[in-house]
Amino acid sequence: MVKLNKIYTRTGDDGETGLGDGTRVPKHGARVSAYGDVDEANAAIGVALVAIEAESGTTDVASLLRTVQNDLFDLGADLCVPDSDAPDAPEALRITDAQVEALEQAIDQFNAELAPLKSFVLPGGSAAAAHLHQARTIARRAERSVTALAAREKVNPTAIAYINRLSDLLFVLARRANGNGADDVLWVPGGET
């Protein structure tokens, strides 16, 4: 278990931060941006959880999202330790195929209950759905940051798969929060009525 006694260290006052392997990098670097965006997605899921629990109480969706939040800490840990084949490289926590498969199973389970899509869905509807859509868009940004990092440095490919599936899950859960899709706000092209 992690033990944090001191919150500030002053080691980042020069615009650098330490990665999990001890390397010092700029706070605006691609790796830091990637795990920062993952952290932001996690925070948005926390806000969505508040709305879900206010509307429905503790549910299977809330339980699933708490697991996802823990997985996102794993993803942040994965991203903060550069992937290396060097024999002296520190052991790192990595996102696993099992975590991706759990998301896929949840997507399939909840999607099976939804009304078929007949149009693109606008973010909105219930408060829970709106917050889930916002978390989805932040997860998509995190995915862009992770893939931008992967274009420059070695990244666990399973980490990319996880963040990709997460946005799909959040879309499905947003529709579920809108009465299984019945209360979705649908796109009207060109403002047609």
Side-chain angles (χ1 to χ4, degrees):
M1 188 49 94
V2 175
K3 183 177 179 184
L4 300 172
N5 291 325
K6 192 165 185 176
I7 301 304
Y8 65 90
T9 63
R10 296 188 175 125
T11 61
D13 292 352
D14 63 353
E16 289 189 341
T17 191
L19 297 179
D21 67 353
T23 305
R24 301 291 297 173
V25 297
K27 289 187 175 190
H28 61 271
R31 186 169 295 278
V32 179
S33 292
Y35 66 72
D37 287 346
V38 168
D39 188 36
E40 188 178 349
N42 202 343
I45 289 170
V47 173
L49 266 166
V50 171
I52 289 166
E53 290 176 334
E55 290 176 13
S56 312
T58 301
T59 65
D60 51 347
V61 170
S63 177
L64 170 63
L65 289 176
R66 281 191 199 88
T67 298
V68 166
Q69 286 192 296
N70 280 283
D71 286 351
L72 288 175
F73 260 78
D74 292 352
L75 178 56
D78 185 325
L79 293 169
C80 89
V81 178
D83 197 353
S84 172
D85 296 327
D88 61 340
E91 180 138 346
L93 179 63
R94 301 290 181 209
I95 290 292
T96 66
D97 290 336
Q99 288 168 299
V100 175
E101 290 165 9
L103 290 185
E104 290 173 349
Q105 290 171 2
I107 292 165
D108 292 343
Q109 173 195 339
F110 290 115
N111 194 50
E113 302 168 6
L114 299 178
L117 279 172
K118 296 180 180 163
S119 178
F120 287 105
V121 175
L122 299 178
S126 69
H131 286 298
L132 286 162
H133 277 297
Q134 183 172 32
R136 172 187 58 79
T137 64
I138 295 169
R140 282 286 188 215
R141 176 164 21 99
E143 181 182 8
R144 291 189 300 273
S145 294
V146 172
T147 58
L149 173 64
R152 297 159 61 167
E153 300 180 38
K154 188 174 179 184
V155 170
N156 173 10
T158 310
I160 298 169
Y162 186 90
I163 196 69
N164 177 267
R165 296 309 179 285
L166 177 59
S167 57
D168 295 335
L169 174 66
L170 294 170
F171 176 77
V172 167
L173 294 180
R175 294 197 66 222
R176 185 173 196 264
N178 275 338
N180 285 336
D183 299 324
D184 282 339
V185 179
L186 301 179
W187 174 48
V188 179
E192 297 172 6
T193 57

